[in-house]
């Protein structure tokens, strides 16, 4: 009799376990949120109105060289740093490369100073660097712009990196900079090793300088030496900047400077104005970009 009872107990436990497993399967299926649709940028993020962002530009940097259907290296127009210590922009694999699934923009030191082709008005320099943009290849007015970026881990002054947007010059404008506009989604300075600083340039006097909460922010925590994700959500009346999913700046000026298409750019630079390179920051130093994704 005892054996019979044991067998019955085992059968009941087995039956109850199967029923619970089936119920769990049904409930988990019912409770699981539907997957977001996917396009060229991956999962389509939700907009505030519940609709989905649609991918318009994507580079995951998975190739072996810069995709020149999407990017133009900067070789003319400017240098970075100061007149005494500056880096000249060159189109060279030592300064601009794609490897290990990342865009590498590197500032390095030459054996001796060389003429500065990117700005002949500057003296020859022993430093060269890399900068790329979507100039005349891609621009967009409004949308969501996102990049995942890692910059060199150092607290010493002298390095500066930027993820920025610039007005498409194919759209005519009677205004000069800064009234013409510039959107620096983030600028990173090696002397501020735990901070990224967005900056919006607009109005004839550039708002008279930095105004935290209006055209800049000093609370966007982003440690150097690790990847941080920067996002701009841009509409006709609002520019919102986020780092790693947290909003750290909102501008609601609705200024005309931000009502036109902009190109996107990444720049590895030498610093200036309080962040001048003094030889202590390690060089070569590289800004690594994991991806740029743009939606509308």
């Amino acid at each position: 009799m005892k054996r019979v009872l044991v067998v019955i107990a085992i059968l009941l436990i087995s039956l109850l376990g199967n029923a619970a497993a089936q119920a769990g399967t049904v409930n988990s299926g019912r409770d699981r949120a539907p997957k977001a649709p996917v396009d060229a940028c991956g999962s389509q993020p939700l907009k505030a109105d519940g609709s989905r962002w649609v991918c318009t530009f994507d580079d995951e940097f998975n190739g072996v060289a810069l995709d020149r259907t999407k990017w133009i290296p900067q070789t003319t127009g400017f240098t970075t740093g100061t007149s005494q210590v500056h880096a000249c922009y060159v189109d060279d694999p030592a300064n601009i490369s794609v490897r290990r699934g990342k865009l590498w923009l590197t500032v390095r030191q030459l054996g001796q100073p060389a003429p500065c082709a990117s700005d002949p008005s500057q003296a020859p320099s022993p430093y060269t660097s890399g900068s790329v943009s979507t100039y005349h290849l891609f621009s967009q007015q409004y949308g969501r712009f996102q990049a995942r970026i890692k910059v060199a881990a150092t607290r010493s002054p002298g390095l500066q990196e930027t993820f920025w947007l610039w007005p498409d010059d194919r759209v005519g404008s009677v205004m000069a900079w800064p009234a013409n506009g510039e959107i620096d989604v983030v600028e990173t300075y090696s002397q501020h090793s735990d901070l990224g600083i967005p900056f919006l340039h607009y109005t004839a006097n550039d708002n008279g300088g930095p105004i935290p909460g209006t055209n800049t922010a000093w609370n966007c925590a982003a440690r150097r030496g690790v990847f941080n994700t920067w996002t701009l959500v841009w509409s006709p009346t609002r520019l919102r900047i986020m780092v790693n999913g947290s909003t750290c700046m909102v501008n609601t000026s609705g200024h005309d400077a931000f009502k036109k298409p902009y190109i996107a750019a990444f720049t590895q630079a030498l610093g200036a104005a309080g962040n001048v390179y003094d030889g202590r920051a390690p060089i070569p130093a590289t800004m690594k970009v994991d991806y740029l994704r743009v939606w509308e």
Side-chain angles (χ1 to χ4, degrees):
M1 184 66 179
K2 192 176 291 184
R3 281 183 190 168
V4 172
L5 290 174
V6 171
V7 170
I8 292 172
I10 292 171
L11 287 172
L12 285 172
I13 291 169
S14 178
L15 288 169
L16 289 171
N18 288 337
Q22 289 177 1
T25 300
V26 171
N27 287 338
S28 64
R30 185 169 57 243
D31 295 340
R32 189 183 299 121
K35 289 185 178 180
V38 173
D39 61 15
C41 292
S43 296
Q44 292 179 271
L46 278 171
K47 295 182 180 181
D49 64 5
S51 62
R52 298 277 179 183
W53 290 102
V54 177
C55 185
T56 55
F57 181 98
D58 173 60
D59 198 341
E60 305 292 321
F61 302 109
N62 288 328
V64 295
L66 186 71
D67 185 344
R68 293 178 184 247
T69 68
K70 296 179 178 180
W71 301 100
I72 297 290
Q74 181 73 37
T75 57
T76 60
F78 65 96
T79 60
T80 62
T82 67
S83 57
Q84 291 76 33
V85 185
H86 54 273
C88 306
Y89 286 107
V90 295
D91 182 4
D92 188 297
N95 299 99
I96 302 171
S97 63
V98 172
R99 45 188 159 142
R100 302 176 196 168
K102 311 288 186 292
L103 168 67
W104 293 42
L105 300 176
T106 301
V107 59
R108 64 190 182 104
Q109 185 171 5
L110 306 174
Q112 59 185 12
C116 200
S118 65
D119 186 356
S121 69
Q122 295 281 10
S125 173
Y127 303 104
T128 60
S129 196
S131 178
V132 298
S133 77
T134 63
Y135 180 72
H136 286 191
L137 297 174
F138 171 81
S139 65
Q140 184 169 302
Q141 181 174 348
Y142 312 137
R144 179 184 176 100
F145 296 71
Q146 185 178 88
R148 186 169 178 262
I149 302 166
K150 178 180 178 180
V151 298
T154 179
R155 294 178 177 273
S156 299
L159 302 179
Q160 179 179 334
E161 304 84 10
T162 311
F163 165 34
W164 53 301
L165 277 60
W166 182 261
D168 189 332
D169 65 8
R170 293 172 295 184
V171 179
S173 175
V174 296
M175 298 181 291
W177 189 90
N180 193 42
E182 178 181 340
I183 301 171
D184 297 326
V185 182
V186 61
E187 294 182 284
T188 44
Y189 304 88
S190 55
Q191 67 173 352
H192 301 302
S193 60
D194 297 315
L195 193 66
I197 301 176
F199 206 108
L200 306 178
H201 297 277
Y202 63 104
T203 77
N205 70 342
D206 212 9
N207 283 288
I211 307 172
T214 297
N215 61 357
T216 191
W218 298 336
N219 63 336
C220 301
R223 186 161 51 94
R224 296 181 70 90
V226 299
F227 277 100
N228 295 284
T229 301
W230 292 90
T231 307
L232 165 70
V233 180
W234 171 23
S235 75
T237 58
R238 191 170 184 254
L239 291 94
R240 175 188 176 201
I241 292 174
M242 296 175 280
V243 55
N244 300 324
S246 297
T247 299
C248 58
M249 180 181 169
V250 176
N251 175 283
T252 56
S253 66
H255 197 272
D256 285 346
F258 306 127
K259 296 180 179 179
K260 55 193 168 187
Y262 276 59
I263 65 171
F266 295 105
T267 298
Q268 171 67 64
L270 287 182
N275 187 41
V276 177
Y277 181 66
D278 61 6
R280 286 183 290 163
I283 286 182
T286 299
M287 174 188 192
K288 297 178 182 177
V289 183
D290 189 21
Y291 62 77
L292 174 65
R293 299 170 185 161
V294 184
W295 300 263
E296 65 178 3

